[in-house]
Amino acid sequence: QVGDPFAFLNMKKSCARILRAAEQGERVAIYSDYDCDGVCGAAILQKALAAIGLEPILYIPDRASEGYGTNAAAFTRLIEGGATLIITVDCGIRSVSDIALAKKLGADCIVIDHHECGELPDTPYLLNCKMPGETYPFGELCGAGTAFKVAQALLGAEAEELIDLCGVATIGDMVSLTGENRALAYLGLQKLRQKPCLGFRALAEAAGLRLANIQSYGVAFGL
C-alpha cells in the first residue's frame, strides 16, 4: 500500500514553501546525490516542480572532485546565481554547516533524504522517514521514494506518471523491498514495462534490454 504523503511531519509546510516559490517566481535549485537514487529523485522532483510552473536548476556534485553530500562552494555558487530555495535529494540530513551558510546567504533549504540522522540542520523543512519524531508510518523509503511523496503531495494522482523513476531507485538503492517499498517497486516495474519514460527507453536500448518483461535484476544490473 502506498501511504499518504501528508503523514510526513513537515510535508505540508515544505509544499507550502515550494508553492510560494512558484507563485513568486523564485529561482529554485535541486541538489542531488550522483547515484541511481539521487538522480532518479532529482528527476522526480524536477518533473513535479515543472508541473507547477518552476524551472529548477539541477546540480549533481562530481563524485571525484566533490564527493558525497553537499558542499559550501556549490551552495554559494547556486545562491550567487539567484537561488533562494535549495532542495536536497538523497543527501543533506547531516549538512548542518552548509544549510547554516545558505540561511546566512538568504536562501531556504528543503531536505529530502533517507540517511541516518545526527545533529539536524536548522531548517523547518526536513523530510526523512528516519528522523526522530517523524510521523510517517514507514521508515525505509529511499531518497527518490521520499521525493515521490513530495510529488504526490504537490500533484496528487498525476504523480503516478513518475512511479517508474521511483521504482527503479527503490530497487537500485537496495533498500528493504518490504512494506511500501514493495508496492513502489511493483508499480514502478509495471510502468517501466508498459509506458517507460523517455530516459529509461534510451538506457534500455543502449543496454540491450527489453523493457516489456524486465525484472528487478534487469533494473539493478542492467539499467
Side-chain angles (χ1 to χ4, degrees):
Q1 185 176 352
V2 178
D4 176 7
F6 289 104
F8 269 94
L9 182 66
N10 296 321
M11 183 63 79
K12 190 172 182 180
K13 66 177 75 169
S14 298
C15 287
R17 181 64 186 88
I18 292 170
L19 291 170
R20 177 154 59 92
E23 289 165 5
Q24 297 182 355
E26 292 182 58
R27 195 80 163 133
V28 178
I30 297 168
Y31 188 115
S32 84
D33 190 18
Y34 43 68
D35 68 359
C36 173
D37 189 20
V39 172
C40 288
I44 288 169
L45 201 58
Q46 187 274 329
K47 290 173 182 289
L49 296 189
I52 62 168
L54 286 164
E55 295 181 15
I57 308 160
L58 290 174
Y59 190 91
I60 301 174
D62 182 84
R63 184 171 187 165
S65 63
E66 293 177 276
Y68 170 77
T70 64
N71 67 81
F75 267 32
T76 301
R77 286 197 303 274
L78 289 169
I79 295 165
E80 287 177 348
T84 52
L85 177 61
I86 298 174
I87 308 176
T88 70
V89 183
D90 195 30
C91 60
I93 200 63
R94 288 177 175 264
S95 298
V96 174
S97 61
D98 291 339
I99 287 172
L101 173 66
K103 187 176 182 179
K104 182 180 177 182
L105 296 175
D108 289 330
C109 293
I110 297 173
V111 174
I112 300 172
D113 202 355
H114 72 119
H115 293 98
E116 297 295 337
C117 303
E119 179 188 353
L120 294 175
D122 181 18
T123 171
Y125 311 116
L126 298 175
L127 297 166
N128 184 331
C129 55
K130 293 187 174 75
M131 192 170 64
E134 178 52 63
T135 50
Y136 197 73
F138 183 68
E140 298 297 327
L141 292 172
C142 66
T146 312
F148 182 69
K149 306 315 292 185
V150 175
Q152 282 186 305
L154 289 171
L155 306 180
E158 288 179 39
E160 291 171 16
E161 282 296 305
L162 308 173
I163 194 65
D164 50 346
L165 288 157
C166 180
V168 166
T170 299
I171 294 166
D173 211 49
M174 296 187 291
V175 289
S176 171
L177 289 183
T178 57
E180 185 170 1
N181 281 344
R182 196 167 189 84
L184 294 172
Y186 172 81
L187 294 169
L189 281 171
Q190 293 295 103
K191 170 86 163 36
L192 200 57
R193 291 166 184 160
Q194 295 165 12
K195 192 185 173 187
C197 69
L198 179 61
F200 287 144
R201 290 206 303 272
L203 283 173
E205 185 176 341
L209 292 170
R210 287 188 69 251
L211 290 181
N213 56 3
I214 196 167
Q215 303 286 341
S216 58
Y217 182 89
V219 170
F221 296 100
L223 288 182

